[in-house]
Amino acid sequence: MPLRDTSADHAATDRTFQVDLRGLVDLLSHHLYSSPRVYLRELLQNAVDALTARHAVEPHGNFGIRLYADGKVVRVEDDGVGLTEADVHTFLATIGRSSKRAERIAEQRADFIGQFGIGLLSCFLVADEIHVLSRSARTPDAPAVEWRGRGDGSYTVRTLPASARPRPGTTVTLTPRSDAGEWTRPQQVHALARHFGSLLRHPVTFDDGSGGQAAPVNPEPAPWARSFPTPGARSRALAAYGEEVFGFAPLDTIELDLPAVGLKGIACVLPEAVPAGRRHGHRVHVKGMLLSEQAEEILPEWAFFVRCVVDAESLRPTASRESLYEDATLAAVRDALAERLREWIARAAASDPDLLGRFLQTHHLAVKSLAVHDDEILRMLLPWLPFETTDGHTTLDEFARTHRTVLVTSSVEEFRQVAAIASAAGLGVVNGGYTYDRELVHRMPEIRPEVSVADLDPATLTAHLDPVDRETELAAAPYLAQARDALAVFDCDVALRTFQPASAPALLVDSREARHERTRSRLAREQEGGLWGDILGALRQEAPRAQLILNQLNPLVRTAVAIDEPELARTSAEALYGQAVLLSRRPLRPAESSLINRSFLDLLAHALRKDS
């Protein structure tokens, strides 16, 4: 954004930005920055950059930043390298410019957090006037420079005697607008300073103008940058810091250290489970300055069981400096942090089974998602992971001790259909309907070669049901015929067997795939002759039928098969089918809901007629 110089002397001369300043401020507030509060972060960033440059000139100097807010003005003063008049014009002129010159400036400022010009203009989000007084440290006899900008787009620059600012550095003073009190009140300025600058490496103080002693904004370095007498003391300090930042007591804290990019920090293991795929934002600082509290991109998607707070030197902020730029460095950092989490899991598995147990009890779904793609984690943790089985919720390792052949269902409803009967028959069945479970169970032989795993086939289950004797089957034949006729609309066969538990009157053996195939066959019949019918016909297979297996050991079934009244026999068969469908806990089709209601009312009516 080049400037128009209307005077060659150093007197205070009005100049104007050669852009629509109000339009630029509107762009900053609505499209670049998430909130006007970032004005203070931008001022702190400019001050930190100035101190970084000053340390390059005077490595052993004792420099800092001082904030002041009394409700009338907000002031940020630093002991940094300061600005000359040429610097003021240079930094302001880089705003919005895309050129090789701007790229060279960016390279020269690689150790800095932000850009002076755009950071200064962000103050117009809360102020109508900005006053800058600066003196360069590079030239001992350099004059002070005053820059005064106004919201109407005009500004003045003039040089002053060095006595106007006895020490090198920069002071920025804002005159807040009346509607900006939410962001410029003394308490809010102090809170924002602590929020953004708690990990800054330079001392920062705050004065509210009440006459008391200035309060430190960042009194202590980050806990990972301090020394502790014992490892236990360090661990407790890291956990306390994690609780202060995130508001929960971590299940454990994982220290993070990537020297190649100057990254240090901690990962806090969440004490409660979270839904799979729900990614928490992480708190990322760059060179001590808070960049984002919602940086999801710092960790892979499977690591949703931790929240991180890190401080890095080499990560690249986006233009708004509120998120991270996706580049090769960030990808390498994400991979390296993922490896640190794997190493923590491995250490817990090897040396702290109690911690591992608590972790898996809470975050088994996250670990399962990781184990699917990570062979090392699979071998290490699969035997420890809990699954729903016919022996209850247990680990695969414990389950495999009593079941050398492990059967796995393809859906939750299939497991619920067969669990009680399979358990009574001595079959070992695992519910494979939950996310990742079926795939992981099938990989069990990689860890326990003596164990075999197979999908549960309905024929496998029915083979374990005992047939009834011939006399009983012949006596029940009329009832079974009427039951088959009543349930034909559902493509359901009916059989009589004996099985445990005797309290179960019926078992519905059906699968989602079988229902889909029957639906395809029905649609093909309805669309016969058309293009859609030809397509469905090409896909048609022999439609497998569902099977309602009645339990001869159940007293209710023994009474039902002896019914000689046709309508009552049909109604009882429909009621048994409806009860078996409800036990499977799969979604009811409209026809099944209607059948359940009708059979209940018919049985109630029959009972009332009999009593009367």
Side-chain angles (χ1 to χ4, degrees):
M1 186 175 61
L3 308 174
R4 184 177 71 244
D5 190 345
T6 61
S7 174
D9 59 31
H10 297 291
T13 304
D14 282 344
R15 310 170 191 223
T16 58
F17 298 101
Q18 289 186 341
V19 296
D20 178 3
L21 181 60
R22 295 189 185 279
L24 179 59
V25 171
D26 180 73
L27 177 67
L28 296 178
S29 62
H30 291 96
H31 300 284
L32 187 63
Y33 296 129
S34 61
S35 165
R37 68 178 184 168
V38 299
Y39 83 92
L40 190 66
R41 183 197 66 193
E42 297 292 340
L43 290 179
L44 284 172
Q45 286 179 346
N46 287 339
V48 170
D49 287 347
L51 291 177
T52 301
R54 181 75 181 273
H55 275 291
V57 178
E58 303 174 51
H60 304 295
N62 185 20
F63 310 122
I65 303 171
R66 294 166 294 281
L67 304 179
Y68 176 89
D70 61 2
K72 299 177 182 178
V73 299
V74 176
R75 184 178 301 128
V76 179
E77 181 179 3
D78 66 69
D79 301 319
V81 73
L83 301 169
T84 63
E85 183 179 11
D87 291 333
V88 171
H89 291 311
T90 297
F91 288 129
L92 286 175
T94 61
I95 301 172
R97 177 174 292 183
S98 177
S99 67
K100 292 183 178 179
R101 178 176 177 273
E103 292 171 4
R104 288 196 300 271
I105 291 174
E107 290 173 0
Q108 293 167 1
R109 293 173 59 83
D111 291 335
F112 301 155
I113 303 173
Q115 289 287 346
F116 181 83
I118 198 168
L120 190 63
L121 288 188
S122 71
C123 296
F124 283 117
L125 297 173
V126 298
D128 279 330
E129 182 171 296
I130 304 170
H131 178 262
V132 178
L133 183 62
S134 188
R135 180 181 169 194
S136 176
R138 292 192 174 95
T139 307
D141 58 349
V145 182
E146 179 189 67
W147 183 94
R148 190 181 298 272
R150 291 170 288 276
D152 61 5
S154 65
Y155 71 96
T156 58
V157 179
R158 64 173 178 168
T159 57
L160 301 174
S163 59
R165 200 184 196 288
R167 296 185 300 174
T170 301
T171 301
V172 180
T173 304
L174 310 182
T175 303
R177 295 197 307 269
S178 58
D179 62 348
E182 177 184 359
W183 309 110
T184 58
R185 289 192 300 268
Q187 301 92 329
Q188 181 71 322
V189 172
H190 189 200
L192 290 176
R194 287 187 58 80
H195 178 72
F196 289 119
S198 63
L199 297 187
L200 290 176
R201 291 82 181 266
H202 307 284
V204 184
T205 59
F206 174 78
D207 184 354
D208 64 2
S210 63
Q213 187 175 2
V217 169
N218 53 343
E220 291 183 315
W224 52 80
R226 303 201 302 265
S227 299
F228 296 90
T230 65
R234 183 178 186 85
S235 178
R236 288 190 293 274
L238 294 176
Y241 181 74
E243 184 171 6
E244 177 185 351
V245 170
F246 295 124
F248 62 82
L251 186 67
D252 196 20
T253 54
I254 308 164
E255 192 160 359
L256 307 173
D257 186 4
L258 303 178
V261 292
L263 182 146
K264 290 180 177 291
I266 57 172
C268 297
V269 182
L270 292 163
E272 296 180 351
V274 295
R278 176 184 169 185
R279 301 180 67 185
H280 285 289
H282 306 289
R283 191 178 179 95
V284 176
H285 299 251
V286 174
K287 300 181 177 70
M289 181 68 69
L290 178 65
L291 179 77
S292 174
E293 295 177 280
Q294 299 298 325
E296 296 181 355
E297 62 273 19
I298 198 73
L299 286 179
E301 291 186 8
W302 56 259
F304 54 82
F305 57 88
V306 297
R307 294 193 69 181
C308 292
V309 52
V310 299
D311 185 18
E313 294 286 338
S314 301
L315 293 178
R316 181 181 170 191
T318 59
S320 67
R321 296 190 285 285
E322 295 183 330
S323 59
L324 294 170
Y325 189 83
E326 188 69 46
D327 57 12
T329 300
L330 178 58
V333 166
R334 184 163 50 237
D335 291 343
L337 292 180
E339 184 59 30
R340 297 297 183 275
L341 298 184
R342 290 188 183 94
E343 290 171 356
W344 174 81
I345 294 174
R347 286 196 303 272
S351 61
D352 197 339
D354 180 62
L355 173 61
L356 179 68
R358 288 185 285 120
F359 169 66
L360 292 179
Q361 183 178 10
T362 304
H363 297 294
H364 59 272
L365 187 57
V367 177
K368 286 179 179 180
S369 69
L370 175 58
V372 167
H373 307 289
D374 190 310
D375 291 345
E376 182 179 353
I377 294 297
L378 176 78
R379 289 191 297 271
M380 187 187 311
L381 295 182
L382 181 59
W384 296 79
L385 292 173
F387 290 82
E388 184 179 7
T389 75
T390 46
D391 290 353
H393 282 83
T394 184
T395 66
L396 286 185
D397 200 46
E398 293 176 351
F399 194 65
R401 292 174 187 171
T402 54
H403 302 283
R404 292 303 185 192
T405 299
V406 175
L407 302 173
V408 57
T409 65
S410 59
S411 67
V412 174
E413 64 187 60
E414 288 179 8
F415 178 80
R416 289 170 176 166
Q417 288 175 19
V418 305
I421 288 87
S423 178
L427 297 176
V429 182
V430 179
N431 186 349
Y434 295 116
T435 307
Y436 312 117
D437 283 14
R438 184 166 175 265
E439 183 175 355
L440 289 173
V441 173
H442 272 287
R443 298 190 67 179
M444 185 65 181
E446 299 176 27
I447 315 301
R448 298 284 185 270
E450 70 277 9
V451 176
S452 62
V453 177
D455 288 327
L456 178 65
D457 188 327
T460 303
L461 180 64
T462 54
H464 284 76
L465 306 182
D466 295 327
V468 296
D469 58 73
R470 184 161 181 78
E471 291 75 12
T472 302
E473 188 168 12
L474 288 174
Y479 178 85
L480 296 177
Q482 294 180 74
R484 292 185 186 107
D485 183 62
L487 301 180
V489 67
F490 299 111
D491 290 317
C492 183
D493 194 9
V494 184
L496 186 65
R497 298 286 188 275
T498 62
F499 54 86
Q500 296 293 337
S503 58
L507 167 66
L508 180 63
V509 179
D510 198 8
S511 68
R512 185 177 303 171
E513 291 76 12
R515 290 196 301 275
H516 288 173
E517 179 58 35
R518 291 197 297 272
T519 300
R520 278 200 301 268
S521 298
R522 178 178 55 80
L523 289 174
R525 290 193 299 272
E526 293 174 355
Q527 300 288 338
E528 189 170 355
L531 176 62
W532 183 239
D534 292 341
I535 294 173
L536 291 174
L539 296 174
R540 186 185 308 167
Q541 302 173 8
E542 182 66 27
R545 305 189 72 191
Q547 192 171 35
L548 181 68
I549 302 177
L550 304 180
N551 187 4
Q552 176 64 19
L553 299 180
N554 182 268
L556 179 62
V557 171
R558 289 200 300 271
T559 300
V561 297
I563 296 174
D564 55 8
E565 184 179 337
E567 286 302 318
L568 181 58
R570 292 177 61 90
T571 300
S572 66
E574 291 173 344
L576 288 169
Y577 174 83
Q579 190 259 356
V581 172
L582 290 175
L583 287 178
S584 73
R585 302 185 189 180
R586 67 166 170 82
L588 294 175
R589 290 175 286 179
E592 291 171 337
S593 297
S594 176
L595 174 140
I596 292 171
N597 291 330
R598 185 179 68 252
S599 62
F600 170 77
L601 293 175
D602 288 349
L603 288 175
L604 180 61
H606 176 81
L608 292 176
R609 286 197 303 271
K610 184 177 180 180
D611 289 343
S612 61

